[in-house]
């Protein structure tokens, strides 16, 4: 590959990052908090919030499984289900 400056670059691999669009649930105020205090990935952000109170949003078994996963980061968890949890 040749840059505009004429510098030539060579690599064995090329990573294409095309972007992702997050589809947020319709919760008032969530857009403003997204990426600040409302986070989507416990693997990316779990360490920063370890041992702190964490509120989780999820329905049914998915919400329950998220609680089980995050139990490793904090003992203070609240599952917000936006209605009946439907957890068996």
């Amino acid at each position: 590959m040749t840059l505009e400056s004429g510098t030539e670059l060579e690599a064995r691999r090329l990573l294409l990052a095309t972007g992702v669009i997050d589809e947020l649930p319709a919760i008032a105020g969530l857009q403003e908090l997204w990426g600040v205090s409302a986070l989507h990935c416990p693997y990316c952000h779990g360490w920063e919030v370890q041992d702190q109170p964490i509120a989780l949003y999820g329905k049914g078994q998915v919400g329950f499984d998220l609680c089980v996963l995050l139990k490793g980061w904090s003992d203070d968890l609240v599952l917000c289900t936006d209605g009946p949890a439907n957890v068996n």
Side-chain angles (χ1 to χ4, degrees):
M1 173 174 163
T2 304
L3 303 178
E4 287 181 6
S5 65
T7 304
E8 291 189 16
L9 301 175
E10 186 177 317
R12 294 187 325 190
R13 291 186 175 83
L14 174 65
L15 172 65
L16 297 176
T18 60
V20 173
I21 296 174
D22 293 314
E23 295 183 21
L24 303 180
I27 298 175
L30 181 59
Q31 181 71 39
E32 295 78 20
L33 298 174
W34 194 247
V36 179
S37 60
L39 309 168
H40 68 285
C41 179
Y43 297 106
C44 296
H45 307 288
W47 184 257
E48 291 87 347
V49 296
Q50 69 176 338
D51 300 323
Q52 297 179 39
I54 300 174
L56 314 165
Y57 177 80
K59 296 181 180 183
Q61 192 64 42
V62 171
F64 178 79
D65 291 343
L66 185 58
C67 281
V68 171
L69 173 69
L70 289 179
K71 188 74 172 144
W73 277 277
S74 176
D75 289 330
D76 192 351
L77 303 173
V78 174
L79 176 60
C80 303
T81 62
D82 198 15
N86 297 325
V87 175
N88 296 325

